[in-house]
Amino acid sequence: MKAQLAIFASGNGSNAQAIIDACKQGIINADVAIIITDNPNAFIIKRAVKENIECKIFKPKVFTDKLSYEKEILKLLTALNIEWIVLAGYMRLIGTVLLTAYPKKILNIHPSLLPKYKGLNAIKQAIDNNDNELGVTIHYVDEGVDTGEIIEQEKITIEDLNLPIEEIEAMVHSVEHKLYVTTLQKLIN
Ligand code: GAR
């Protein structure tokens, strides 16, 4: 039986794409059953259409509070028998409803060697700090911002911090795509 995954994403969705590709190729023994986004303009929506994967937009503002927002998402996840929630650039904190329903089953990826540089623009934070030790972390999600038990980390040493930030970001993203796939493979297969 293939595990059923839900991917949560707010933006480009390049990590989501790497996971979708790995599922399609049988590298990860799972199906991406649904993509959930909080951003109606996210590029991930176009990817979902192209991949023929159901995509639901949940705008938090439409709900009275986080509880009702997450309860609505949970209904859908339950109906689809989702076992794992994979955050891939989902820029929102997960609350008690989903944390309680999915203990140790919600994963996040972050572009730094956590606990360094939590939050937004982690790569820029490292560069601004003149720190050439970048990296990628995959961790279980808890109620904090990029906190939670670390599962895998990979260090990326940047020789020249004066490179255009886009080049540095591309290096980090390519490590992210590989590390998310191998980690999911270990956890799920
Ligand atoms: C990734 O670099 C991911 O690590 C980061 O957002 C980017 C999403 O890219 N996540 C965080 O910073 C979480 N705090 P993608 O949409 O192309 O996968």
Side-chain angles (χ1 to χ4, degrees):
M1 269 288 277
K2 284 190 174 184
Q4 300 300 295
L5 310 186
I7 296 183
F8 287 31
S10 304
N12 176 19
S14 70
N15 279 285
Q17 188 71 57
I19 294 164
I20 293 165
D21 293 344
C23 288
K24 285 198 324 198
Q25 290 160 18
I27 296 167
I28 303 170
N29 191 26
D31 292 318
V32 178
I34 180 106
I35 291 171
I36 288 178
T37 185
D38 56 343
N39 174 10
N41 302 313
F43 187 67
I44 184 69
I45 299 168
K46 292 204 169 67
R47 294 184 190 268
V49 171
K50 184 155 181 268
E51 296 291 345
N52 208 12
I53 295 173
E54 189 182 357
C55 180
K56 282 270 191 274
I57 304 166
F58 283 89
K59 286 199 226 160
K61 280 192 184 138
V62 172
F63 298 86
T64 44
D65 54 21
K66 197 178 195 86
L67 232 65
S68 46
Y69 170 70
E70 287 200 343
K71 274 186 185 164
E72 204 57 33
I73 295 178
L74 182 58
K75 262 194 236 165
L76 179 62
L77 301 184
T78 308
L80 292 169
N81 289 317
I82 299 297
E83 290 165 61
W84 294 87
I85 297 177
V86 180
L87 309 187
Y90 182 68
M91 296 307 184
R92 195 164 288 281
L93 282 175
I94 299 295
T96 47
V97 172
L98 291 176
L99 287 171
T100 308
Y102 286 91
K104 274 201 146 184
K105 293 281 187 180
I106 310 179
L107 309 177
N108 182 42
I109 189 160
H110 186 72
S112 80
L113 287 176
L114 289 173
K116 289 202 285 188
Y117 313 120
K118 294 175 184 149
L120 292 176
N121 305 318
I123 299 171
K124 185 169 183 303
Q125 289 184 51
I127 296 170
D128 290 348
N129 203 30
N130 219 17
D131 185 348
N132 72 342
E133 239 179 38
L134 272 59
V136 173
T137 303
I138 294 169
H139 63 95
Y140 291 111
V141 171
D142 64 13
E143 53 289 318
V145 178
D146 300 319
T147 53
E149 185 189 332
I150 290 172
I151 305 167
E152 296 284 351
Q153 281 191 311
E154 190 167 327
K155 194 194 287 180
I156 307 161
T157 306
I158 305 290
E159 301 299 338
D160 180 6
L161 278 181
N162 292 314
L163 285 172
I165 187 162
E166 295 76 17
E167 268 184 51
I168 297 177
E169 281 171 348
M171 289 180 211
V172 175
H173 285 312
S174 82
V175 172
E176 285 193 317
H177 301 160
K178 291 191 195 101
L179 194 66
Y180 226 167
V181 168
T182 53
T183 304
L184 284 165
Q185 220 182 355
K186 277 187 211 159
L187 291 172
I188 293 172
N189 287 11

